[in-house]
Amino acid sequence: MTWETVIGIETHVELTTASKMFCGCPVDFGAPPNTNVCPVCLGLPGALPVVNGRAVEYAMTIGLALNCSIAPHSVFARKNYFYPDMPKNYQISQYDEPLCVAGHLDVDTDGEVARIGITRVHMEEDTGKSTHVGDGGRIQAASHSLLDFNRAGVPLMEIVSEPDLRSPEQARAFVAELRGVILRLGVSDAKLEEGSMRFDANVSLRPSGSTEFGTKVEVKNMNSLRSLQRALEHEVERQQALLDAGEPVVQETRHWNEDAGTTSGMRSKEEAFDYRYFPEPDLVPVEVDDAWRERVAGALPELPAQARARYASAGLDPVAADLVSRDPAAGTIFEEATAAGADAQTVANWLTGEVTALLRRQDLSLEQSGVTGAGLAELAEMVDDGRLSASAAKEVLAGVVAGEGNPESIAAERDLIQVSDVSALEPVVEEVLAANPDAVAKLHEGDGKVIGFLIGQVMRATGGKADPAAVTAILRGKSA
Amino acid sequence: MPVEIDIAKVARLARLSLTDEQLERYRVQCEVVLEHAARVQALPTEGVAPTSHPLPRTNVFREDEVAECLDREEVLAAAPDRDGDYFLVPRILDE
Amino acid sequence: MSDLADLSVGGAAAGLRAGEFTAVELLEAVHRRAAVTEAELHAYLTIDRDGAARAAVAADSALRAADDPGPLLGIPVALKDNMVTRGVETTCSSKILSGYRPPYDGTAVSRLRAGGAVIFGKTNLDEFAMGSSTENSAYGPTRNPWDPERVPGGSSGGSAAAVAAGSAMIAYGSDTGGSIRQPAALCGIVGVKPTYGLVSRYGLIAFASSLDQIGPLTRTVEDAVAALEVVGGHDPADSTSYPGSFPDMRSGLEAGVSGLRIGVVAELNGAGIDPAVQAAVDETVAGLERAGATVVPVSLPSVAYALSAYYLIAPAECSANLARFDGVRYGLRRHGETVEEMMSTTRGEGFGPEVTRRILLGTYALSAGYYDAFYGQAQRVRTLIIQDFADAYEQADVLVSPTSPTTAFPLGARTEDPLSMYLSDVCTIPSNMSGDPAISVPVGVDENGLPVGFQIMAPALGEPVMMRVAAEVERQAGFTARARLATSEVG
């Protein structure tokens, strides 16, 4: 029997508001433990929440960008469960009346576009952070745990997809596109490794052609796009093996172990899922009228799909178009560089190639790198007019990232400008030819291979600064 | 209307560790109260919207502005147990 | 008046400003009274001697500087121990919060401090405000100053007893189902539950968030107005706070009731009410009629279900509100090998029986499969109650009833039967369900010499007309009887 894969994804995104969802504590990452706390986010007796208006706008922005309907009336609810890093032992969330419902996001996998339904987007608050102490931090063997409540109450958006994804690859593409949308909107830094964007997946298999869903398994703990795809591939294989062997799939939550490359079941208590939701009496409903919705909709920036279409029509290859349309920093640099006259594909190649590689090696973000559109345009121009070799250009780029200045000054400083002026190169070529009569003879006999040797001699004579293209042209002229 | 409560399950949900004797006493008392409370079911309420709030207000928001936080020492002074700058709790079994 | 402790707020304020006595002297008088009464009453859990002394000294310098923040400057005030006070132990009468010193002040408390009030101490209550007798306190019951063998009512029993006995000039409490009005009635003083949202709940340790409201317990209606004016008004820290301007409750106090329609609620009078209580209530209604009011019979048919709905809504909200008491960040912690065990043991041992019972009730009422039949249905009944009130206010300006079906009952009389205790609140619960204001005014005594409270209910933000009627009732009743403990010879 052949099986069809069915995947739905729940994504959580922390918003980059200045203050928390329900109190004025700052949202900044990396503050000393338990310093960004107040009576509200610590759940002290008597404290009350007040909704951060900007968080609501950000949530609407996400909903509108995902083609959702904005509910004219939505309410907050208490989701009740005990967990030590959740100060009130209930999470303020939204339940049966969320802010955004029934949207979709188009996902392109190798040129095939699928429309993935968005069930809902709702607002809630993040929990604190627990660190497990003893036995290498593994939760099962820890002796005790330490709690830091700085993240408790940070605005968190939950984005729930329909089970419309049909492969791990498509699931990965969906999350990548969703992340692009979030980044373009500027409502979250959506950092997977820092947890400001995280996702869980529901996976099930069903006989091809069936319209009923199989038993689903929730997979957690993937913290990169790659690990998402790997975890899903593994889970699909695991379920397929079970089904092929005639064994049932158990509905459960499984934990992805990145190092082992496997998922393992998590123990869950029988009543763990009775959240006893009820409307949050400390907060009043959110009502969005047409005017408010229109104002937020009118302020939406260009989304990745629109940007990608624009870039594609300008002739950019798909990989480059993806990068500059999903990553707003890359997009800005790209726009600046092309506006400064650089060739679009050249800039795109730089961004997808050497820039990305360099940043990965140095573990830097584009924003931190010092790379600008003007700088890339300058670099591209220098390569284009032969003043920089490809390898010298990489060195100049490294200099830019190291904060040494603009490409022109770095190239000069590091003595990387190559000579392509024919009048300057001509005498050197003459000298080389005079010193190598044998080679000259071969050249005249039409031996093409000898030209490489002669170019090498010229390069040696110029200390490597001659433009090989210019030298070749001169030599060809001599041989004709 | 008689009401039957799985009191042990409810106590587990509410994180209340109680003896069997206590559980039995609470079960009987809760069932009496719930039987009285179940009278609400006698009232026809079709088409009646629930009230979760006596005050018909909407859209109460605060500006996204940073306000003063509490002093960490004052916060941790109230903690039953701490380790340096953290609250300390016994090991957590499950995620 | 021989003893400063027996002055009204108005009288004390005038004396302070006329230089007849100082805030420090006023505080000393209240101290002396407490020193005598506390041994028998146990109205207080904490008396903040140092904090009160500092506030009194500050009040005196403000008086000398003619820097006058309002009517409570220099007035000794007691707070129910579910109102959060920075640095001063706040326990909610629960073992689970034993020794807890909050790092912040609630809004009402901040406003009292800004108004120059002298916060004298924290009063006893039924644990987490759940109860009608103040017997559910982990620190022992409070007794009624009229008869120490009887309860002061609850849950704000400590506040009511202190004001009645003169060990506080005024006090604040919280009212979720009658917790201000019922003890005020049983202790022969005035108690007000304001319109939901009129006083910020920020810093009030929540019992049932959609029902809780802070209000004053005082010896006169005018004192209640002054007490409300200082703490009331919009607070951005409470999303359910009323944003409009604060109603003028003062200007109608002398206006009388001529032309007003007084609605006598059929369902809250007569059946189930102690005859002596009903007689005093009827007499008061007759007096209002003689003063020019029109008396109209009104009906609130769904009010018969209010108590039932209340005992679903309040426990449901409480089950979530009290989840935060888990031994992690503050308060009691009991040993557990795992954090789950620690939480369950802490909560199992930290909460008393009534709180445990209500958490269990509420958890059940919200759990999967029961929500709609219990909590959901109770919320729909709440809508019907609100509609009934709206209809009744078409016919009447205020509605009246006894505050409590009985006068103060003996200690221990109802502790074994939760339902009989819950019935103490049958007349007061409806106003919490509707969110409307209500006041209890003492109007007489029964055959045992125990005070009877008369309840006046008004529509939302109807405090002006409610206070106007209350002032007339107060004048008519001429209630001058004093609690035994307040009149026994002191020091």
Side-chain angles (χ1 to χ4, degrees), chain A residues 18-20 23-24 33-34 37 51-52 142 145 147 281 285 287, chain B residues 12 53 59 62 64 66-67 69-70 72 85 87 89 91-92 94:
Chain A
S19 63
K20 290 185 178 179
C23 65
N34 293 308
V37 293
V51 175
N52 182 339
S145 299
L147 301 171
E287 296 203 333
Chain B
R12 266 199 313 279
H53 248 276
N59 293 356
R62 83 188 160 73
D64 182 26
V66 170
C69 295
L70 285 172
R72 180 164 66 193
D85 299 333
F87 293 88
V89 292
R91 69 199 168 93
I92 299 168
D94 282 313

PDB file of all heavy atoms in Angstrom, chain A residues 18-20 23-24 33-34 37 51-52 142 145 147 281 285 287, chain B residues 12 53 59 62 64 66-67 69-70 72 85 87 89 91-92 94:
ATOM      1  N   ALA A  18       8.131  46.547  22.532  1.00  0.00           N
ATOM      2  CA  ALA A  18       9.071  47.053  23.538  1.00  0.00           C
ATOM      3  C   ALA A  18       8.779  46.405  24.892  1.00  0.00           C
ATOM      4  O   ALA A  18       9.689  46.069  25.635  1.00  0.00           O
ATOM      5  CB  ALA A  18       8.949  48.575  23.645  1.00  0.00           C
ATOM      6  N   SER A  19       7.490  46.209  25.184  1.00  0.00           N
ATOM      7  CA  SER A  19       7.112  45.693  26.499  1.00  0.00           C
ATOM      8  C   SER A  19       6.333  44.397  26.332  1.00  0.00           C
ATOM      9  O   SER A  19       5.936  44.019  25.239  1.00  0.00           O
ATOM     10  CB  SER A  19       6.277  46.732  27.246  1.00  0.00           C
ATOM     11  OG  SER A  19       5.066  46.993  26.568  1.00  0.00           O
ATOM     12  N   LYS A  20       6.103  43.725  27.463  1.00  0.00           N
ATOM     13  CA  LYS A  20       5.462  42.415  27.428  1.00  0.00           C
ATOM     14  C   LYS A  20       3.982  42.504  27.060  1.00  0.00           C
ATOM     15  O   LYS A  20       3.430  43.577  26.901  1.00  0.00           O
ATOM     16  CB  LYS A  20       5.640  41.738  28.796  1.00  0.00           C
ATOM     17  CG  LYS A  20       7.091  41.306  29.085  1.00  0.00           C
ATOM     18  CD  LYS A  20       7.198  40.525  30.394  1.00  0.00           C
ATOM     19  CE  LYS A  20       8.644  40.064  30.636  1.00  0.00           C
ATOM     20  NZ  LYS A  20       8.767  39.327  31.921  1.00  0.00           N
ATOM     21  N   CYS A  23       2.118  43.574  30.606  1.00  0.00           N
ATOM     22  CA  CYS A  23       2.722  44.475  31.586  1.00  0.00           C
ATOM     23  C   CYS A  23       3.840  45.255  30.916  1.00  0.00           C
ATOM     24  O   CYS A  23       4.175  45.005  29.767  1.00  0.00           O
ATOM     25  CB  CYS A  23       3.261  43.696  32.788  1.00  0.00           C
ATOM     26  SG  CYS A  23       4.634  42.593  32.388  1.00  0.00           S
ATOM     27  N   GLY A  24       4.425  46.188  31.651  1.00  0.00           N
ATOM     28  CA  GLY A  24       5.412  47.090  31.068  1.00  0.00           C
ATOM     29  C   GLY A  24       6.846  46.605  31.129  1.00  0.00           C
ATOM     30  O   GLY A  24       7.768  47.357  30.812  1.00  0.00           O
ATOM     31  N   PRO A  33      19.092  37.186  34.787  1.00  0.00           N
ATOM     32  CA  PRO A  33      17.887  36.454  35.188  1.00  0.00           C
ATOM     33  C   PRO A  33      17.030  37.204  36.212  1.00  0.00           C
ATOM     34  O   PRO A  33      17.566  37.866  37.093  1.00  0.00           O
ATOM     35  CB  PRO A  33      18.435  35.154  35.789  1.00  0.00           C
ATOM     36  CG  PRO A  33      19.897  35.361  35.956  1.00  0.00           C
ATOM     37  CD  PRO A  33      20.308  36.387  34.974  1.00  0.00           C
ATOM     38  N   ASN A  34      15.725  37.075  36.037  1.00  0.00           N
ATOM     39  CA  ASN A  34      14.745  37.632  36.975  1.00  0.00           C
ATOM     40  C   ASN A  34      14.891  39.129  37.214  1.00  0.00           C
ATOM     41  O   ASN A  34      14.668  39.617  38.321  1.00  0.00           O
ATOM     42  CB  ASN A  34      14.788  36.856  38.293  1.00  0.00           C
ATOM     43  CG  ASN A  34      14.289  35.433  38.109  1.00  0.00           C
ATOM     44  OD1 ASN A  34      13.197  35.215  37.578  1.00  0.00           O
ATOM     45  ND2 ASN A  34      15.094  34.456  38.514  1.00  0.00           N
ATOM     46  N   VAL A  37      11.034  41.595  35.455  1.00  0.00           N
ATOM     47  CA  VAL A  37       9.830  41.030  36.075  1.00  0.00           C
ATOM     48  C   VAL A  37       9.124  42.066  36.933  1.00  0.00           C
ATOM     49  O   VAL A  37       9.745  42.995  37.445  1.00  0.00           O
ATOM     50  CB  VAL A  37      10.160  39.797  36.941  1.00  0.00           C
ATOM     51  CG1 VAL A  37      10.640  38.640  36.079  1.00  0.00           C
ATOM     52  CG2 VAL A  37      11.184  40.136  38.014  1.00  0.00           C
ATOM     53  N   VAL A  51      -3.750  44.572  28.302  1.00  0.00           N
ATOM     54  CA  VAL A  51      -3.273  44.157  26.981  1.00  0.00           C
ATOM     55  C   VAL A  51      -2.405  45.239  26.325  1.00  0.00           C
ATOM     56  O   VAL A  51      -2.782  46.419  26.309  1.00  0.00           O
ATOM     57  CB  VAL A  51      -4.471  43.832  26.064  1.00  0.00           C
ATOM     58  CG1 VAL A  51      -3.999  43.508  24.650  1.00  0.00           C
ATOM     59  CG2 VAL A  51      -5.288  42.687  26.641  1.00  0.00           C
ATOM     60  N   ASN A  52      -1.287  44.822  25.785  1.00  0.00           N
ATOM     61  CA  ASN A  52      -0.405  45.688  25.012  1.00  0.00           C
ATOM     62  C   ASN A  52      -1.051  45.928  23.636  1.00  0.00           C
ATOM     63  O   ASN A  52      -1.186  45.010  22.829  1.00  0.00           O
ATOM     64  CB  ASN A  52       0.946  44.978  24.864  1.00  0.00           C
ATOM     65  CG  ASN A  52       1.978  45.796  24.120  1.00  0.00           C
ATOM     66  OD1 ASN A  52       1.630  46.717  23.370  1.00  0.00           O
ATOM     67  ND2 ASN A  52       3.245  45.464  24.311  1.00  0.00           N
ATOM     68  N   ALA A 142      17.609  15.332  36.133  1.00  0.00           N
ATOM     69  CA  ALA A 142      17.993  16.516  36.888  1.00  0.00           C
ATOM     70  C   ALA A 142      17.620  16.355  38.358  1.00  0.00           C
ATOM     71  O   ALA A 142      16.677  15.657  38.705  1.00  0.00           O
ATOM     72  CB  ALA A 142      17.300  17.745  36.308  1.00  0.00           C
ATOM     73  N   SER A 145      15.607  22.252  39.419  1.00  0.00           N
ATOM     74  CA  SER A 145      15.538  23.171  38.286  1.00  0.00           C
ATOM     75  C   SER A 145      15.586  24.604  38.768  1.00  0.00           C
ATOM     76  O   SER A 145      15.131  24.919  39.867  1.00  0.00           O
ATOM     77  CB  SER A 145      14.254  22.937  37.485  1.00  0.00           C
ATOM     78  OG  SER A 145      14.244  21.622  36.984  1.00  0.00           O
ATOM     79  N   LEU A 147      14.637  28.649  37.847  1.00  0.00           N
ATOM     80  CA  LEU A 147      13.644  29.364  37.056  1.00  0.00           C
ATOM     81  C   LEU A 147      14.020  30.833  36.877  1.00  0.00           C
ATOM     82  O   LEU A 147      14.405  31.510  37.828  1.00  0.00           O
ATOM     83  CB  LEU A 147      12.272  29.281  37.741  1.00  0.00           C
ATOM     84  CG  LEU A 147      11.738  27.871  37.963  1.00  0.00           C
ATOM     85  CD1 LEU A 147      10.493  27.913  38.828  1.00  0.00           C
ATOM     86  CD2 LEU A 147      11.435  27.207  36.629  1.00  0.00           C
ATOM     87  N   PRO A 281     -11.549  36.718  32.981  1.00  0.00           N
ATOM     88  CA  PRO A 281     -12.390  37.791  33.529  1.00  0.00           C
ATOM     89  C   PRO A 281     -11.627  39.080  33.801  1.00  0.00           C
ATOM     90  O   PRO A 281     -12.255  40.126  33.999  1.00  0.00           O
ATOM     91  CB  PRO A 281     -12.928  37.188  34.836  1.00  0.00           C
ATOM     92  CG  PRO A 281     -11.976  36.107  35.204  1.00  0.00           C
ATOM     93  CD  PRO A 281     -11.354  35.607  33.942  1.00  0.00           C
ATOM     94  N   PRO A 285     -13.153  42.055  25.950  1.00  0.00           N
ATOM     95  CA  PRO A 285     -12.998  41.611  24.556  1.00  0.00           C
ATOM     96  C   PRO A 285     -12.281  42.633  23.668  1.00  0.00           C
ATOM     97  O   PRO A 285     -12.272  43.831  23.971  1.00  0.00           O
ATOM     98  CB  PRO A 285     -14.447  41.429  24.086  1.00  0.00           C
ATOM     99  CG  PRO A 285     -15.243  41.247  25.332  1.00  0.00           C
ATOM    100  CD  PRO A 285     -14.556  42.086  26.378  1.00  0.00           C
ATOM    101  N   GLU A 287     -12.438  44.285  20.040  1.00  0.00           N
ATOM    102  CA  GLU A 287     -13.363  44.440  18.907  1.00  0.00           C
ATOM    103  C   GLU A 287     -12.675  45.247  17.823  1.00  0.00           C
ATOM    104  O   GLU A 287     -12.164  46.338  18.069  1.00  0.00           O
ATOM    105  CB  GLU A 287     -14.671  45.084  19.376  1.00  0.00           C
ATOM    106  CG  GLU A 287     -15.394  44.162  20.353  1.00  0.00           C
ATOM    107  CD  GLU A 287     -16.893  44.401  20.458  1.00  0.00           C
ATOM    108  OE1 GLU A 287     -17.333  45.541  20.201  1.00  0.00           O
ATOM    109  OE2 GLU A 287     -17.602  43.430  20.803  1.00  0.00           O
TER     110      GLU A 287
ATOM    111  N   ARG B  12      -6.384  15.837  41.464  1.00  0.00           N
ATOM    112  CA  ARG B  12      -5.120  15.776  40.715  1.00  0.00           C
ATOM    113  C   ARG B  12      -5.005  16.951  39.754  1.00  0.00           C
ATOM    114  O   ARG B  12      -3.971  17.590  39.650  1.00  0.00           O
ATOM    115  CB  ARG B  12      -5.039  14.471  39.916  1.00  0.00           C
ATOM    116  CG  ARG B  12      -4.323  13.338  40.630  1.00  0.00           C
ATOM    117  CD  ARG B  12      -3.853  12.254  39.659  1.00  0.00           C
ATOM    118  NE  ARG B  12      -4.853  11.836  38.701  1.00  0.00           N
ATOM    119  CZ  ARG B  12      -5.832  10.956  38.961  1.00  0.00           C
ATOM    120  NH1 ARG B  12      -5.951  10.425  40.166  1.00  0.00           N
ATOM    121  NH2 ARG B  12      -6.694  10.624  38.028  1.00  0.00           N
ATOM    122  N   HIS B  53     -18.754  38.976  32.171  1.00  0.00           N
ATOM    123  CA  HIS B  53     -18.346  40.288  32.622  1.00  0.00           C
ATOM    124  C   HIS B  53     -19.540  41.140  32.931  1.00  0.00           C
ATOM    125  O   HIS B  53     -20.396  41.288  32.072  1.00  0.00           O
ATOM    126  CB  HIS B  53     -17.662  40.976  31.443  1.00  0.00           C
ATOM    127  CG  HIS B  53     -16.248  41.143  31.709  1.00  0.00           C
ATOM    128  ND1 HIS B  53     -15.797  42.196  32.420  1.00  0.00           N
ATOM    129  CD2 HIS B  53     -15.198  40.368  31.413  1.00  0.00           C
ATOM    130  CE1 HIS B  53     -14.489  42.059  32.536  1.00  0.00           C
ATOM    131  NE2 HIS B  53     -14.108  40.955  31.944  1.00  0.00           N
ATOM    132  N   ASN B  59     -11.867  46.652  24.135  1.00  0.00           N
ATOM    133  CA  ASN B  59     -10.663  47.368  23.688  1.00  0.00           C
ATOM    134  C   ASN B  59     -10.011  48.229  24.759  1.00  0.00           C
ATOM    135  O   ASN B  59      -9.865  49.439  24.599  1.00  0.00           O
ATOM    136  CB  ASN B  59     -10.986  48.233  22.461  1.00  0.00           C
ATOM    137  CG  ASN B  59     -11.316  47.375  21.263  1.00  0.00           C
ATOM    138  OD1 ASN B  59     -11.238  46.147  21.330  1.00  0.00           O
ATOM    139  ND2 ASN B  59     -11.687  48.006  20.168  1.00  0.00           N
ATOM    140  N   ARG B  62      -3.048  49.082  26.701  1.00  0.00           N
ATOM    141  CA  ARG B  62      -2.040  50.006  27.219  1.00  0.00           C
ATOM    142  C   ARG B  62      -1.053  50.306  26.098  1.00  0.00           C
ATOM    143  O   ARG B  62      -0.925  49.535  25.149  1.00  0.00           O
ATOM    144  CB  ARG B  62      -1.407  49.422  28.480  1.00  0.00           C
ATOM    145  CG  ARG B  62      -0.356  48.478  28.291  1.00  0.00           C
ATOM    146  CD  ARG B  62       0.118  47.779  29.531  1.00  0.00           C
ATOM    147  NE  ARG B  62       0.779  46.599  29.009  1.00  0.00           N
ATOM    148  CZ  ARG B  62       1.967  46.674  28.391  1.00  0.00           C
ATOM    149  NH1 ARG B  62       2.637  47.808  28.311  1.00  0.00           N
ATOM    150  NH2 ARG B  62       2.486  45.595  27.851  1.00  0.00           N
ATOM    151  N   ASP B  64       2.498  50.544  24.299  1.00  0.00           N
ATOM    152  CA  ASP B  64       3.644  49.638  24.364  1.00  0.00           C
ATOM    153  C   ASP B  64       4.847  50.393  24.913  1.00  0.00           C
ATOM    154  O   ASP B  64       5.769  50.747  24.184  1.00  0.00           O
ATOM    155  CB  ASP B  64       3.940  49.085  22.961  1.00  0.00           C
ATOM    156  CG  ASP B  64       5.100  48.099  22.977  1.00  0.00           C
ATOM    157  OD1 ASP B  64       5.342  47.474  24.027  1.00  0.00           O
ATOM    158  OD2 ASP B  64       5.753  47.967  21.925  1.00  0.00           O
ATOM    159  N   VAL B  66       7.767  50.736  28.138  1.00  0.00           N
ATOM    160  CA  VAL B  66       8.449  49.981  29.191  1.00  0.00           C
ATOM    161  C   VAL B  66       8.259  50.696  30.528  1.00  0.00           C
ATOM    162  O   VAL B  66       8.399  51.914  30.617  1.00  0.00           O
ATOM    163  CB  VAL B  66       9.949  49.831  28.856  1.00  0.00           C
ATOM    164  CG1 VAL B  66      10.706  49.281  30.044  1.00  0.00           C
ATOM    165  CG2 VAL B  66      10.109  48.909  27.641  1.00  0.00           C
ATOM    166  N   ALA B  67       7.869  49.933  31.527  1.00  0.00           N
ATOM    167  CA  ALA B  67       7.697  50.489  32.872  1.00  0.00           C
ATOM    168  C   ALA B  67       8.738  49.863  33.803  1.00  0.00           C
ATOM    169  O   ALA B  67       9.462  48.944  33.422  1.00  0.00           O
ATOM    170  CB  ALA B  67       6.295  50.206  33.376  1.00  0.00           C
ATOM    171  N   CYS B  69      10.607  47.716  36.498  1.00  0.00           N
ATOM    172  CA  CYS B  69      10.496  46.340  36.986  1.00  0.00           C
ATOM    173  C   CYS B  69      10.742  46.325  38.486  1.00  0.00           C
ATOM    174  O   CYS B  69      11.150  47.317  39.071  1.00  0.00           O
ATOM    175  CB  CYS B  69      11.530  45.457  36.283  1.00  0.00           C
ATOM    176  SG  CYS B  69      11.234  45.316  34.517  1.00  0.00           S
ATOM    177  N   LEU B  70      10.493  45.164  39.069  1.00  0.00           N
ATOM    178  CA  LEU B  70      10.754  45.008  40.496  1.00  0.00           C
ATOM    179  C   LEU B  70      12.243  44.784  40.738  1.00  0.00           C
ATOM    180  O   LEU B  70      12.964  44.312  39.859  1.00  0.00           O
ATOM    181  CB  LEU B  70       9.981  43.801  41.034  1.00  0.00           C
ATOM    182  CG  LEU B  70       8.480  43.965  41.230  1.00  0.00           C
ATOM    183  CD1 LEU B  70       7.850  42.620  41.571  1.00  0.00           C
ATOM    184  CD2 LEU B  70       8.177  44.980  42.330  1.00  0.00           C
ATOM    185  N   ARG B  72      15.217  42.752  41.934  1.00  0.00           N
ATOM    186  CA  ARG B  72      15.356  41.299  41.976  1.00  0.00           C
ATOM    187  C   ARG B  72      15.499  40.773  43.404  1.00  0.00           C
ATOM    188  O   ARG B  72      14.955  39.735  43.748  1.00  0.00           O
ATOM    189  CB  ARG B  72      16.564  40.865  41.137  1.00  0.00           C
ATOM    190  CG  ARG B  72      16.757  39.350  41.160  1.00  0.00           C
ATOM    191  CD  ARG B  72      17.668  38.876  40.066  1.00  0.00           C
ATOM    192  NE  ARG B  72      19.024  39.366  40.251  1.00  0.00           N
ATOM    193  CZ  ARG B  72      19.952  39.304  39.321  1.00  0.00           C
ATOM    194  NH1 ARG B  72      19.679  38.790  38.137  1.00  0.00           N
ATOM    195  NH2 ARG B  72      21.157  39.782  39.553  1.00  0.00           N
ATOM    196  N   ASP B  85      20.591  33.943  41.502  1.00  0.00           N
ATOM    197  CA  ASP B  85      19.600  34.848  40.932  1.00  0.00           C
ATOM    198  C   ASP B  85      18.357  34.120  40.437  1.00  0.00           C
ATOM    199  O   ASP B  85      17.515  34.708  39.761  1.00  0.00           O
ATOM    200  CB  ASP B  85      20.223  35.627  39.768  1.00  0.00           C
ATOM    201  CG  ASP B  85      21.399  36.462  40.235  1.00  0.00           C
ATOM    202  OD1 ASP B  85      21.410  36.839  41.434  1.00  0.00           O
ATOM    203  OD2 ASP B  85      22.300  36.734  39.420  1.00  0.00           O
ATOM    204  N   PHE B  87      14.992  31.274  41.002  1.00  0.00           N
ATOM    205  CA  PHE B  87      14.109  30.514  41.877  1.00  0.00           C
ATOM    206  C   PHE B  87      14.501  29.050  41.719  1.00  0.00           C
ATOM    207  O   PHE B  87      14.763  28.593  40.603  1.00  0.00           O
ATOM    208  CB  PHE B  87      12.644  30.673  41.450  1.00  0.00           C
ATOM    209  CG  PHE B  87      12.102  32.063  41.633  1.00  0.00           C
ATOM    210  CD1 PHE B  87      12.224  33.013  40.634  1.00  0.00           C
ATOM    211  CD2 PHE B  87      11.467  32.411  42.818  1.00  0.00           C
ATOM    212  CE1 PHE B  87      11.716  34.297  40.798  1.00  0.00           C
ATOM    213  CE2 PHE B  87      10.951  33.692  42.992  1.00  0.00           C
ATOM    214  CZ  PHE B  87      11.084  34.632  41.986  1.00  0.00           C
ATOM    215  N   VAL B  89      13.469  25.051  42.296  1.00  0.00           N
ATOM    216  CA  VAL B  89      12.375  24.106  42.566  1.00  0.00           C
ATOM    217  C   VAL B  89      12.907  22.675  42.437  1.00  0.00           C
ATOM    218  O   VAL B  89      13.924  22.439  41.777  1.00  0.00           O
ATOM    219  CB  VAL B  89      11.188  24.288  41.584  1.00  0.00           C
ATOM    220  CG1 VAL B  89      10.494  25.610  41.829  1.00  0.00           C
ATOM    221  CG2 VAL B  89      11.622  24.153  40.141  1.00  0.00           C
ATOM    222  N   ARG B  91      13.110  18.836  41.039  1.00  0.00           N
ATOM    223  CA  ARG B  91      13.206  18.485  39.619  1.00  0.00           C
ATOM    224  C   ARG B  91      11.825  18.394  38.952  1.00  0.00           C
ATOM    225  O   ARG B  91      10.839  17.996  39.567  1.00  0.00           O
ATOM    226  CB  ARG B  91      13.981  17.189  39.441  1.00  0.00           C
ATOM    227  CG  ARG B  91      13.296  15.953  39.941  1.00  0.00           C
ATOM    228  CD  ARG B  91      14.318  14.822  40.135  1.00  0.00           C
ATOM    229  NE  ARG B  91      13.735  13.737  40.875  1.00  0.00           N
ATOM    230  CZ  ARG B  91      13.145  12.695  40.299  1.00  0.00           C
ATOM    231  NH1 ARG B  91      13.084  12.603  38.987  1.00  0.00           N
ATOM    232  NH2 ARG B  91      12.621  11.744  41.036  1.00  0.00           N
ATOM    233  N   ILE B  92      11.816  18.799  37.709  1.00  0.00           N
ATOM    234  CA  ILE B  92      10.593  18.776  36.914  1.00  0.00           C
ATOM    235  C   ILE B  92      10.567  17.448  36.167  1.00  0.00           C
ATOM    236  O   ILE B  92      11.525  17.107  35.482  1.00  0.00           O
ATOM    237  CB  ILE B  92      10.591  19.964  35.930  1.00  0.00           C
ATOM    238  CG1 ILE B  92      10.635  21.292  36.707  1.00  0.00           C
ATOM    239  CG2 ILE B  92       9.364  19.914  35.028  1.00  0.00           C
ATOM    240  CD1 ILE B  92      10.921  22.507  35.847  1.00  0.00           C
ATOM    241  N   ASP B  94       8.216  16.097  33.779  1.00  0.00           N
ATOM    242  CA  ASP B  94       7.830  16.042  32.360  1.00  0.00           C
ATOM    243  C   ASP B  94       7.789  17.420  31.759  1.00  0.00           C
ATOM    244  O   ASP B  94       7.563  18.382  32.437  1.00  0.00           O
ATOM    245  CB  ASP B  94       6.425  15.447  32.233  1.00  0.00           C
ATOM    246  CG  ASP B  94       6.453  13.956  32.383  1.00  0.00           C
ATOM    247  OD1 ASP B  94       7.316  13.323  31.751  1.00  0.00           O
ATOM    248  OD2 ASP B  94       5.626  13.448  33.130  1.00  0.00           O
TER     249      ASP B  94
END
